[in-house]
Amino acid sequence: MEELVPSSSEPLSPQTLASFRALIISPSTPQSKISSIFETLTRSLELTPDSLVLNLLSELASRHSNLSHLVFDSVRSNSLLPSESTRLAAESLDALASISNTDPTLSSAIDELDDRLFVSLCFGPSVSVRSWLLRNAERFRISPYLLLTLFLGFTKDPYPYVRKIALDGLVGVSNSAVIEDRSMINGCYCRAVELLSDMEDHVRSAAIRAVSAWGLILVASNPETKLYWSDDLFVKLCSMGRDMSMEVRVEAFDALGKINVVSEDILLQTLSKRVLAITKEKRSLGQCPAEQFEILASNVAGVLVHGLEDEFYEVRKSACHSLRALTIISAEFAGEALNLLMDVLNDDSMFVRLEALETMLHMATFGHLNVQGTHMHMFLGTLLDSNLLIRSATRKILKLVKLSNIELFRLSFDSLIENLEKHPQDEADIFSVLFHTGCNHGKFVVSIINEASEEIDQASEGKLGFDSARVAALLVLAISAPLSHGEHVCSIPPRIFSYAVTLLGRISRALTDIMDQNALLAYLSQCSISTTFSATDLNIRRGEPCLPVANIEIPNDTSNEIDGSTRTSLQQEKDGASKLQSWTMREPLELAAPLGGFQVEVHDEVMKPINLILAKVKDIWPSIHSGFTNEVLRTLRNLKEELATFTSDSVGTIGAVAFTLQYLQVIKQLAKVWEHFLPAKKLCSSGLGELDLILGKLDMRLRELRSRFTGLSMEQELQILELVLLTCTLRLCKVEICCHFATLKKLSTTVSRVESILKSATIEPTIFISEVGKLLCLNETSRSEASCNPFKFKELLKHFSLSQFVLCGRLNQIKAELTIPDNDSENPLPFVSRLPVGIPCDITLHNTSNENKLWLRMSMDDESTQFVFLDLNLFGSSDEVRKFTYVAPFYKTPNAISFTLRVCIGMECLFEGVLSVKKYGGPERELTYLCQEKEVHLSMIGEH
């Protein structure tokens, strides 16, 4: 060590500092050497304060918590002197804040730092230091009122970047909800309004955010003046809608979308480029002189029209988004805005078209979608768009609407058929839309099916075939009629429901959100033996208990942000123009016990306590987060014992119990991993290997959850994927774990799957998922070392919270049973050295399909492993349980008298990436194993 430590009078060279860092980050460095390095760095800081020395001391404190107090005191006493160097003093503050973050016991010491030091540094000559301090002010626990004063003062700084940071700081203070003095709130608002005319684009953008933040506080501060301040804020933001900068215009329309109260005449004025008479009459723009009124009116006039016609798609998209909130304020405004949105459906940008459709979906849910008959062709034309997201968004709107006449219903039906013929991959979603619209329009369905019954009969005789898109769609439409809300008699011929049974698989895939395949078959069987019936004849009840799996609910297929309580009646305009109005079903429709011997499994008596166990798992998250690992593991053991008492023989219940047991194993491994990331955890030399091992077990358990259970909903899959994202994030937090490239790749593919689920199921992501996506996007765009900083990934952990897992419906577990008949150590199989030997295997597979890729893994040791592919197409149909005997060849028999072979069955995880090197000519992806490993005993012939 001595050769690394120069004399106290010499400054430390870069080479010496580099060698110090290598010793600091190495877990094998003795504590005595670490202490000597600390003393050397402290002496150097006393003699010649230096940024590199500061950084090393900060890293030393984070990795060796026993020295954090000493490092903190050394930095505080030796380098917080602005007279020496403002930059060095700021870097010292940064180091002190970082050290206190790793050691919570130092939080009070940070509070003791004098606010005057921070303020004096802000007023120093260095612009970069000033900017950094203002941007990181919240790290130093400065008084909110002092911060507010600083930010307000620096909004007048001569440097634009400082003004922008000061405005962003004002937004941050507003979010803290600490400032309650109305005059101060008004002062912040007025100062931000002044900067709307700043010369710099990025300053004006920041000013818009500040005006919006403080303006909304003013709006909420007093109910009596709410409308006045809301109108004032709206007009101010409208004035920025024609700014020369594209970024500023986007900010303006984004801010407009946050306002939920505005005078109706001002709203209508944004859709007209000329000043309306009602605006002049009501003078909602304020009691101001005529000349000023004309200026304000011209700022508001047609601003949304200009936004939707902007040359940049980003502005058009933002303008569309702002309409979501504004159309809820006024039905008249919504009707006028819809004319503009219909034109936007022809926009060149897919993003803008999608935003327009999502805005229409939002309007429909709140009862403000009033589509004229003349708009139908343009609206339905989006069903033929080349983009899947556009077509999907249109179909979601169709699920909600109620059509006023059969002509519009036929037009919608024909458009869906055209969509199906042009894009057959959309079949499941189209069938779902047809079923929902059929439930909303029972009379129209009966009329159309009776007209087309001959066409369907010809298909049943093989003249057309049920592969015809139109015939298949007609069958889906027909089976929805008995579930209509109307009390009319459903006179659809029973044979139609018999025809639908031939499409059972295709239809059931489309109706997974309503019923499973067994319930659908039972329903079709009941309908096919009736002549004429109504909903009451089918025992379809509203709000009455019945068999749970056979419950048929027609859910709202909208995003979580939309309130689905609206249900409006059909309207007809005086001029005969039809309207589309939002239609949501308040009450679920339930199908009574089916006839014909089709019994639906009832397992609520077990599913309910299983979900109670899962609720208890969520409740122990605070204990995991706080590091009470022993208490958590004890609770999980108790829950496993409780789970072991469930003895139901129901197939669906067996799968649910197995899933819950596996989920408890995941939480157990997560609890063990989490304690390694607590601030008080000391990383010893064996800690890194232990962490790698536990993370590997957590990966394996999550892989089994994803691959070995079928019947999971998209919401449930999303919760599992969130745990996968958490595992990747935990790996990336540790700089010592050398698998960053592979982990980043897995993180990227998982985020892609998450985004796919969020788009197709319209589920709101958790904060953690959103933040992971943002950081990954930053990493992909910058490709810089900073973007891969483990501290950034560690920041993500504070956003994670364990969600409650709720099981519903039937879960099936993919598993296998493997036996080697008549074989043990006393009865070994014969073999000849260096020649292949056949291993007879009795195999039982549960819930596998021919799409699953199964492999038989046979190994003596890591060097002598052989994989044999099990082609399931050769072993009978894909029943829930199938048994067969297979003789597997093993080619690597050793030159030995006897040996033991370990055999098990694995399944490829198709969601995993392809391995860079195929394992011994075996699977292309990672395997999850479906049974316990079996030992096979072999002995050379003649050596018994």
Side-chain angles (χ1 to χ4, degrees), residues 269-386:
Q269 183 62 74
T270 61
L271 301 178
S272 174
K273 295 182 180 180
R274 61 180 180 83
V275 179
L276 300 174
I278 188 172
T279 306
K280 295 178 180 179
E281 179 183 343
K282 290 190 175 183
R283 305 282 264 184
S284 300
L285 298 174
Q287 301 301 320
C288 53
E291 183 178 348
Q292 186 179 355
F293 175 84
E294 289 294 332
I295 295 174
L296 293 175
S298 63
N299 286 338
V300 176
V303 66
L304 285 171
V305 179
H306 287 287
L308 295 173
E309 296 174 349
D310 197 276
E311 61 178 314
F312 292 97
Y313 84 89
E314 294 92 342
V315 180
R316 301 196 299 273
K317 180 175 180 289
S318 179
C320 277
H321 185 80
S322 67
L323 284 173
R324 289 197 196 181
L326 300 178
T327 53
I328 307 307
I329 299 173
S330 163
E332 183 180 354
F333 173 79
E336 295 292 333
L338 188 59
N339 295 325
L340 298 176
L341 284 175
M342 285 298 173
D343 292 333
V344 175
L345 295 180
N346 289 325
D347 196 278
D348 293 336
S349 168
M350 178 274 292
F351 299 104
V352 179
R353 298 198 302 275
L354 183 61
E355 195 69 49
L357 286 168
E358 290 179 348
T359 299
M360 291 171 62
L361 178 62
H362 196 79
M363 293 166 63
T365 310
F366 285 91
H368 284 181
L369 182 65
N370 184 2
V371 182
Q372 303 289 333
T374 54
H375 293 150
M376 283 298 290
H377 285 283
M378 187 177 296
F379 170 66
L380 294 174
T382 55
L383 287 172
L384 304 180
D385 196 282
S386 60

Side-chain angles (χ1 to χ4, degrees), residues 40 61 154 197 203 232 245 270 323 370 428 531 610 651 664 697 726 850 858 863 924:
T40 303
F154 283 111
S197 57
V203 176
D232 186 77
S245 167
T270 61
L323 284 173
N370 184 2
T531 52
I610 286 179
V651 175
L664 293 179
K697 289 182 178 179
L726 176 64
N850 291 345
M858 300 181 289
E863 297 298 326
E924 294 182 339

Side-chain angles (χ1 to χ4, degrees), residues 735-845:
V735 294
E736 300 90 348
I737 297 180
C738 301
C739 56
H740 286 69
F741 178 76
T743 306
L744 280 172
K745 185 177 180 181
K746 182 174 183 179
L747 188 71
S748 178
T749 56
T750 307
V751 167
S752 297
R753 175 57 186 157
V754 166
E755 290 175 346
S756 174
I757 291 176
L758 294 175
K759 289 176 182 177
S760 59
T762 59
I763 306 169
E764 281 295 318
T766 63
I767 297 175
F768 175 72
I769 289 177
S770 299
E771 292 299 320
V772 170
K774 291 177 185 176
L775 184 56
L776 186 63
C777 182
L778 173 65
N779 181 52
E780 291 176 347
T781 53
S782 65
R783 300 287 183 187
S784 67
E785 231 179 85
S787 62
C788 298
N789 190 331
F791 295 107
K792 291 191 175 183
F793 285 98
K794 196 168 185 177
E795 282 292 307
L796 295 175
L797 299 182
K798 66 183 180 183
H799 299 293
F800 178 80
S801 180
L802 192 65
S803 303
Q804 181 174 344
F805 214 103
V806 178
L807 291 180
C808 56
R810 172 173 168 169
L811 281 184
N812 293 324
Q813 182 186 19
I814 298 175
K815 60 180 181 178
E817 296 163 12
L818 172 66
T819 58
I820 312 299
D822 303 322
N823 178 256
D824 54 37
S825 58
E826 300 296 327
N827 297 290
L829 295 175
F831 80 99
V832 176
S833 177
R834 305 299 187 186
L835 292 179
V837 60
I839 311 297
C841 302
D842 287 345
I843 298 174
T844 303
L845 301 178

Side-chain angles (χ1 to χ4, degrees), residues 89-150:
E91 289 175 351
S92 300
L93 278 178
D94 183 25
L96 292 174
S98 299
I99 295 170
S100 67
N101 286 338
T102 60
D103 189 347
T105 61
L106 289 170
S107 57
S108 59
I110 277 287
D111 293 337
E112 294 172 3
L113 291 176
D114 195 344
D115 287 351
R116 287 179 295 178
L117 172 64
F118 182 86
V119 174
S120 65
L121 290 174
C122 286
F123 284 97
S126 174
V127 178
S128 60
V129 169
R130 186 186 317 150
S131 302
W132 183 89
L133 288 168
L134 293 175
R135 192 168 56 248
N136 293 274
E138 72 281 355
R139 296 176 59 193
F140 305 107
R141 302 183 177 92
I142 308 299
S143 162
Y145 283 91
L146 176 59
L147 269 184
L148 187 68
T149 304
L150 278 175

